[in-house]
Amino acid sequence: MENFNRLNDLYFKKLLGDKNRKNLTLSFLNAILNKDEREYFTDITFLDKDNEPLTLDGKLSKLDIRADLNDGTQVDIEVQVCPFKFMAERSLYYWSKMYSEQLEKSAEYKKLKKAIAINLLAFDYLEDEQDWHNIYNLLNVKSHNKLTDHIEIHFLELPKFTLKDMRKIRTSEAWLAYFSGRYTKKELEEIAMTTPAIKEAVEFENTFLQDKIERRAYEQREKAIRDYYSYMSAYKEEGLEQGLKQGLKQGKLEEKFRTATNLLKMGFDIETISKAVELSREKIQELSEKK
């Protein structure tokens, strides 16, 4: 399929979030986390996620894969398609939930395990960084000594990724090349020859696209994302947010509710709507749950 989006959340979840293909998830994680043969993660258990984002924007473009690795390490893989300027804050928030929820099993701090957040982004996010893969820990600002290895947050920015030498490709590069969608079928076949996990991913992709039900669900998801971009672009051109701030000051409460409900349907997040129509975030949340 031409222009197939491998970051489509439905497809990504089926590829890397299914226990029947956990060998692919382990390949991706071991490559991104730069594990050698002595440190390889050998097993993974997928967890049901209960921290779905509250905004339509998040539900449209974000995917969580939560899992436990064989040494107890917690991992969260997120895909973000639409640009989101608070990505760092959101990633830290989900990391903190993942880390703190371990105490539900035991109240002893010594039993807390490392938690890793991996953000796969379809847009440039870290303006001051040139590399496509950046890792953040908790460090002393003077000595740069690490306080603990329990926190690790990764950002993988696809627009910054380039494959320098296909003959010496690393597994992490093979995965980024696959998800980027910038390489031809022939080039992917060459990559698959040296990276068995990519060969299996391509085979699964072909099977996925031949399933009429799966393909229809994929196409509906792609349409939702295109519509979101279209609405956002139109509203930016019309200066909607500025106009709302000026015009709604004299509007009635019912008009504010109606406008807020329409903006929710268009895909605006709660924070933006709250500022635009001058209603509390709690009130916007109530409207979101009713629509």
Side-chain angles (χ1 to χ4, degrees), residues 158-205:
L158 284 172
K160 294 178 180 176
F161 173 76
T162 55
L163 191 56
K164 297 178 179 179
D165 189 344
M166 196 171 293
R167 296 168 299 178
K168 300 179 182 179
I169 188 170
R170 296 177 298 166
T171 304
S172 59
E173 294 174 323
W175 276 112
L176 265 287
Y178 175 75
F179 285 122
S180 73
R182 297 201 301 269
Y183 297 89
T184 65
K185 182 178 179 180
K186 183 177 180 181
E187 289 171 327
L188 278 180
E189 289 175 352
E190 290 183 40
I191 294 172
M193 289 178 64
T194 59
T195 314
I198 300 302
K199 182 176 185 295
E200 187 174 341
V202 172
E203 290 173 350
F204 172 73
E205 178 183 319

Side-chain angles (χ1 to χ4, degrees), residues 61-252:
S61 58
K62 175 184 171 293
L63 165 73
D64 266 345
I65 291 180
R66 278 285 308 278
D68 281 338
L69 294 165
N70 55 282
D71 67 349
T73 297
Q74 307 282 297
V75 65
D76 173 24
I77 306 174
E78 292 186 27
V79 169
Q80 183 68 28
V81 176
C82 300
F84 186 63
K85 66 179 180 179
F86 297 113
M87 197 67 213
E89 290 81 358
R90 188 169 74 185
S91 184
L92 186 59
Y93 171 74
Y94 284 120
W95 176 90
S96 68
K97 287 196 65 176
M98 177 169 54
Y99 190 66
S100 64
E101 284 172 359
Q102 295 180 60
L103 287 182
E104 294 179 1
K105 303 176 183 177
S106 172
E108 298 183 47
Y109 293 114
K110 66 180 180 180
K111 292 188 177 182
L112 285 168
K113 299 293 184 178
K114 183 174 186 175
I116 302 173
I118 299 175
N119 302 285
L120 182 56
L121 310 180
F123 57 94
D124 284 327
Y125 176 65
L126 302 170
E127 296 180 357
D128 297 327
E129 303 292 352
Q130 301 300 315
D131 292 337
W132 60 268
H133 185 185
N134 292 281
I135 308 169
Y136 293 86
N137 299 117
L138 196 59
L139 306 175
N140 184 309
V141 295
K142 293 182 179 180
S143 67
H144 297 285
N145 291 327
K146 189 184 297 185
L147 178 64
T148 174
D149 67 352
H150 275 208
I151 179 171
E152 191 170 297
I153 299 179
H154 295 247
F155 289 93
L156 314 177
E157 298 172 275
L158 284 172
K160 294 178 180 176
F161 173 76
T162 55
L163 191 56
K164 297 178 179 179
D165 189 344
M166 196 171 293
R167 296 168 299 178
K168 300 179 182 179
I169 188 170
R170 296 177 298 166
T171 304
S172 59
E173 294 174 323
W175 276 112
L176 265 287
Y178 175 75
F179 285 122
S180 73
R182 297 201 301 269
Y183 297 89
T184 65
K185 182 178 179 180
K186 183 177 180 181
E187 289 171 327
L188 278 180
E189 289 175 352
E190 290 183 40
I191 294 172
M193 289 178 64
T194 59
T195 314
I198 300 302
K199 182 176 185 295
E200 187 174 341
V202 172
E203 290 173 350
F204 172 73
E205 178 183 319
N206 293 332
T207 301
F208 176 88
L209 289 174
Q210 289 172 10
D211 187 309
K212 293 182 179 179
I213 296 176
E214 298 283 23
R215 182 160 177 161
R216 175 60 176 164
Y218 161 85
E219 291 172 347
Q220 289 178 328
R221 200 62 166 168
E222 288 296 288
K223 181 180 183 301
I225 294 174
R226 287 195 301 271
D227 289 346
Y228 174 81
Y229 274 125
S230 177
Y231 289 135
M232 290 293 287
S233 177
Y235 271 11
K236 284 180 180 178
E237 290 177 3
E238 296 173 8
L240 176 69
E241 185 173 342
Q242 182 178 358
L244 284 171
K245 287 180 178 179
Q246 295 174 350
L248 289 175
K249 289 180 179 178
Q250 300 177 351
K252 296 180 180 179

